Amino acid sequence: MTLFEEDASDAAEEVGAAGRAGDVGTPSVEAKLSLAEVLELFAGRRLPLRFSAYDGSSAGPADAPFGLDLKTPRGTTYLATGFGDLGLARAYIAGDLDIHGVHPGDPYELLKALSENLEFKRPPARVMTSIVRSIGIEHLRPIAPPPQEVPARWRRIAGGMRHSKSRDADAIHHHYDVSNTFYEWVLGPSMTYTCACYPSAHASLDEAQENKYRLVFEKLRLKPGDRLLDVGCGWGGMVRHAARRGVKATGVTLSREQTGWAHQAIADEGLGELAEVRHGDYRDITEDGFDAVSSIGLLEHIGVRNYPSYFRFLQSRMRPGGLLLNHCITRSDNRTEPSARGFIDRYVFPDGELTGSGRIISEAQDAGLEVLHEENLRSHYAMTLRDWCANLVEHWDDAVAEVGLPAAKVWGLYMAGSRLAFERGGIQLHQVLAFNPDDRGGGNLPLRPWWTP
């Protein structure tokens, strides 16, 4: 959170009143504050970690299990000018802020301590005057961010309007064309970059990913000879899972790296007659009459305003009575602004948008699909992210050599922070199963759910 974000909280007003009354704990306008003292003021003098800075100052418990070390004046500028979590991310990724007590591949425990015990509050105006004088007005002028950061949304118009085919391709390239080798280290043998479904608390990541594909396959009632379309297919995990069971499966992805890896995996398994992965936009699929469509982790990239056309298009690719399984990250309500902000938008998923499961179900129904079932796998995603972070820690030196230290830091920060968000319910993972009714509304479906949980 930026140190200069507006906060009209009652607590800040109380601090201001104390200062006007001459409270000895409030600095005078003339006092020059150290960087540690500035942080203490914003944190209400309650730091859950040890903080040290390049000016020689420090604050927080000496025996705290976690620590932050502000190393450079540039880091001060990033912290002072970055909105929300962006300033902290910039300073950390650029190497101006070090973390202690956790591995950079999994800073989960540090983030948890910060989120539970640290709340920034804006000091009163007279104290802010002293703070600005102490850190220097030059640190309030924004500077160029680390090169790993994409431009602000309003500056991305050169790549096309949001969720145009060209701009979506750029966004996918930014996140998914990092390095197949890097993804192999993080994701493990399954090369599956979506929420797993753990059959038990002690199941391995690979077992959980295989179980997720099994669940999707069963929900879609696929059988040998059927045709499956998998949009946003990634490295082809669902396509190969279905092809091994006699289903003719077609996948499509905007990532060239994923396409190349999937082609080789299909060839290695001898699945070429049944499995195909294409490089391209799902909207360019011309075939129709598919028995089932799976969309596993694509909707986050579509854009909420495009949901009607998305569901209508998928319906148009399905035969009457065909089934659709949509698996995606959601918000916990249907009212919050869908666009991602700050660190996630600039470093992880440019142009990503999330909304609640209710909005997704409504749009599917409005497109003429009949929703049969939905379930929330939120806890499973927290466990998936835990295991991905463990993989990154295990392969940290190789990962840094492959993609560079700043990019590896981005991944550790993003996955650990996402794990925390899933654990607390701020974001969720919903699977929605729907079918395409025929003219008489029938689908010859069983009366009750037919899959093994």
Side-chain angles (χ1 to χ4, degrees), residues 3-329:
L3 299 182
F4 294 93
E5 185 176 352
E6 293 293 337
D7 189 339
S9 66
D10 294 338
E13 289 298 319
E14 292 172 4
V15 173
R20 289 188 292 273
D23 184 278
V24 294
T26 304
S28 68
V29 174
E30 294 78 17
K32 181 169 177 61
L33 305 170
S34 69
L35 291 170
E37 288 172 325
V38 170
L39 181 60
E40 282 189 307
L41 285 170
F42 279 100
R45 302 192 183 279
R46 295 179 59 187
L47 287 175
L49 47 71
R50 186 67 174 172
F51 173 80
S52 59
Y54 58 85
D55 66 353
S57 63
S58 60
D63 60 349
F66 311 114
L68 297 175
D69 180 16
L70 183 59
K71 300 168 61 178
T72 68
R74 182 177 66 176
T76 298
T77 302
Y78 280 145
L79 291 173
T81 59
F83 180 78
D85 56 7
L86 200 52
L88 180 68
R90 285 170 173 168
Y92 174 61
I93 292 164
D96 301 308
L97 183 71
D98 280 349
I99 62 176
H100 303 287
V102 292
H103 193 285
D106 187 9
Y108 166 79
E109 293 294 344
L110 184 147
L111 298 178
K112 183 178 180 182
L114 287 174
S115 66
E116 290 178 349
N117 303 305
L118 185 61
E119 181 180 357
F120 282 120
K121 299 181 184 296
R122 181 182 175 93
R126 62 175 302 183
V127 178
M128 285 298 299
T129 301
S130 180
I131 289 172
V132 170
R133 180 180 291 113
S134 297
I135 68 170
I137 192 69
E138 67 274 12
H139 290 300
L140 303 184
R141 300 188 183 99
I143 59 175
Q148 292 74 25
E149 182 174 318
V150 302
R153 289 195 175 208
W154 65 271
R155 290 184 173 177
R156 297 176 205 163
I157 193 67
M161 296 298 292
R162 191 185 307 177
H163 299 300
S164 64
K165 290 183 179 180
S166 60
R167 186 156 155 180
D168 279 352
D170 288 343
I172 294 301
H173 171 74
H174 173 84
H175 189 75
Y176 293 98
D177 289 341
V178 177
S179 159
N180 283 334
T181 301
F182 175 80
Y183 275 108
E184 286 173 349
W185 286 324
V186 174
L187 304 180
S190 74
M191 279 297 274
T192 301
Y193 186 37
T194 48
C195 174
C197 183
Y198 288 74
S200 71
H202 304 293
S204 70
L205 174 62
D206 292 334
E207 290 170 340
Q209 291 292 14
E210 180 66 15
N211 187 53
K212 184 265 299 296
Y213 287 134
R214 187 273 311 164
L215 179 64
V216 173
F217 189 91
E218 290 185 7
K219 284 184 174 181
L220 291 175
R221 300 191 75 206
L222 289 165
K223 61 185 184 301
D226 281 350
R227 297 171 60 225
L228 168 69
L229 173 63
D230 185 37
V231 293
C233 68
W235 290 270
M238 185 66 209
V239 168
R240 287 180 287 117
H241 181 94
R244 293 185 202 114
R245 289 154 181 81
V247 172
K248 186 171 179 56
T250 301
V252 59
T253 173
L254 279 169
S255 168
R256 290 189 182 277
E257 292 285 326
Q258 290 179 336
T259 304
W261 194 98
H263 286 172
Q264 187 61 54
I266 289 170
D268 290 345
E269 291 193 50
L271 297 172
E273 292 188 5
L274 289 174
E276 178 189 9
V277 169
R278 303 176 188 175
H279 175 250
D281 194 290
Y282 79 95
R283 290 166 284 194
D284 292 331
I285 293 291
T286 57
E287 299 95 321
D288 58 15
F290 287 95
D291 298 287
V293 175
S294 53
S295 176
I296 307 173
L298 175 63
L299 194 65
E300 299 92 330
H301 302 289
I302 294 298
V304 173
R305 70 181 182 184
N306 295 322
Y307 283 8
S309 60
Y310 165 81
F311 282 112
R312 286 196 302 269
F313 180 85
L314 296 187
Q315 183 191 37
S316 73
R317 303 301 92 187
M318 301 162 60
R319 66 168 175 80
L323 290 162
L324 165 68
L325 190 288
N326 192 89
H327 166 121
C328 71
I329 302 170

